[in-house]
Amino acid sequence: PGEDTMVISGINLTASPGEKIGIVGEVGSGKTVLLKLISGWFVPTSGSANFNSLNLADLSDTSRAASIGYVPQDIELFNGTVADNIRMGRQTSRSLEEVINTSVIDAELDMEKMLEQGGVGLSGGQRARVALARAFYGNTPIYILDDVTSALDLKTETILWRNINSEYSESIFLVATHREATAAVMDRVVWIKEGKIFCEGKHADLLREHDDYRSLFAHE
């Protein structure tokens, strides 16, 4: 008690435009903390998260929101229509029709359906897709997804990544996941252990070379 604990340290991670990077590790390994540091939600005690040489912690909330679409584990939906929850009062170069198609919502949800606080009445998968559509509507160069695909069935997730590859081919995706189907479609997987990068590479290579990595998906 009273002592600071280093949650993650020694992380050196660079992402290129168009790259999809999976962040994989056991519960408590530091995945969510890493994503919140990258997104600017948390400020590191040392080091920095930079985008195009700009320190994200130094940006205003508005500037950071224009750079990063962030979907946290705990999805916040508010009183209003589905469309209101996606647009969030913004006007962007993306249309509502585009983002609901990308997010595999299509005709499943009426855009004028009124939601209660928290999205009561929607399934977990529907809430996740509304949150994804909200992020995509911002049309940002970086998307950070914290285990959001775990709420999707395999068919829906397959369509989602196909759409992303087609429509967001120049965007960076950083995706925390414990789901093998998600890790398998990443360009690169960063395996986090005890707050440090233990190993990184292609999902198939990590599966073949590391029993501990395979065990992360054993109870899926």
Side-chain angles (χ1 to χ4, degrees):
E3 295 184 0
D4 291 335
T5 301
M6 193 70 72
V7 179
I8 63 172
S9 63
I11 299 288
N12 186 3
L13 177 63
T14 301
S16 302
E19 193 172 19
K20 298 191 301 296
I21 300 175
I23 311 296
V24 172
E26 294 180 344
V27 173
S29 60
K31 301 187 298 297
T32 293
V33 172
L34 175 61
L35 294 188
K36 287 188 173 182
L37 285 167
I38 294 170
S39 69
W41 276 48
F42 291 167
V43 178
T45 53
S46 63
S48 62
N50 300 314
F51 174 59
N52 288 343
S53 76
L54 297 174
N55 186 334
L56 288 171
D58 293 337
L59 299 181
S60 67
D61 290 344
T62 300
S63 296
R64 198 157 49 241
S67 301
I68 298 173
Y70 179 50
V71 184
Q73 285 182 316
D74 298 323
I75 294 166
E76 294 287 343
L77 300 179
F78 57 83
N79 291 329
T81 66
V82 174
D84 290 338
N85 272 273
I86 293 172
R87 290 195 183 104
M88 295 284 287
R90 301 167 294 174
Q91 293 294 327
T92 75
S93 58
R94 290 281 177 179
S95 71
L96 188 62
E97 290 73 19
E98 285 178 304
V99 298
I100 64 175
N101 177 69
T102 303
S103 306
V104 205
I105 295 174
D106 301 322
E108 182 178 337
L109 284 176
D110 179 356
M111 289 296 104
E112 296 309 309
K113 175 182 174 66
M114 291 295 298
L115 301 181
E116 297 179 28
Q117 188 72 30
V120 175
L122 299 185
S123 69
Q126 289 171 331
R127 286 196 297 272
R129 282 175 284 159
V130 170
L132 284 165
R134 175 191 289 169
F136 294 145
Y137 189 71
N139 198 27
T140 56
I142 302 172
Y143 294 94
I144 295 179
L145 313 181
D146 193 354
D147 207 25
V148 66
T149 59
S150 63
L152 306 180
D153 62 71
L154 183 58
K155 179 181 178 181
T156 299
E157 182 175 3
T158 299
I159 297 170
L160 172 70
W161 288 115
R162 185 185 68 199
N163 293 344
I164 286 172
N165 286 332
S166 173
E167 300 163 35
Y168 293 85
S169 59
E170 296 302 312
S171 297
I172 293 169
F173 280 80
L174 300 172
V175 186
T177 187
H178 64 268
R179 186 171 183 173
E180 186 169 2
T182 303
V185 298
M186 297 292 103
D187 297 312
R188 173 166 46 119
V189 170
V190 175
W191 179 9
I192 303 290
K193 266 190 177 184
E194 298 178 351
K196 300 179 183 294
I197 295 178
F198 179 74
C199 193
E200 59 184 299
K202 291 282 190 180
H203 171 69
D205 293 336
L206 295 178
L207 277 180
R208 184 176 61 254
E209 296 167 6
H210 299 279
D211 291 341
D212 287 352
Y213 183 79
R214 284 197 300 274
S215 72
L216 294 174
F217 308 99
H219 304 294
E220 187 176 327

